[in-house]
């Protein structure tokens, strides 16, 4: 059982759903520890800056 409910519910997060599909896939595939929306935003920013 995972304690990271935020990461388990990314598909229901409005910000996550607003991201480009490639960013969503990268976040899911990389499996970073996303504990809160702040983590999610930081990871998404890093991914979009690299593109």
């Amino acid at each position: 059982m995972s304690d990271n409910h935020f990461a388990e519910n990314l598909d229901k997060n409005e910000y996550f759903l607003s991201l480009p599909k490639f960013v969503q896939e990268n976040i899911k595939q990389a499996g970073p520890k996303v504990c809160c929306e702040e983590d999610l935003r930081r990871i998404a920013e890093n991914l979009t800056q690299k593109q």
Side-chain angles (χ1 to χ4, degrees):
M1 185 167 129
S2 174
D3 290 333
N4 194 347
H5 298 290
F6 188 85
E8 292 170 1
N9 293 307
L10 280 177
D11 290 331
K12 297 175 187 165
N13 182 281
E14 195 172 312
Y15 177 72
F16 180 77
L17 295 173
S18 74
L19 295 169
K21 291 291 181 198
F22 80 91
V23 175
Q24 292 180 20
E25 288 303 314
N26 275 303
I27 290 171
K28 287 180 178 180
Q29 289 176 8
K33 190 142 185 143
V34 182
C35 298
C36 61
E37 188 150 337
E38 185 179 324
D39 289 345
L40 175 61
R41 288 178 183 271
R42 185 170 46 250
I43 293 164
E45 271 184 33
N46 288 338
L47 286 169
T48 54
Q49 287 174 358
K50 290 178 184 174
Q51 297 300 319

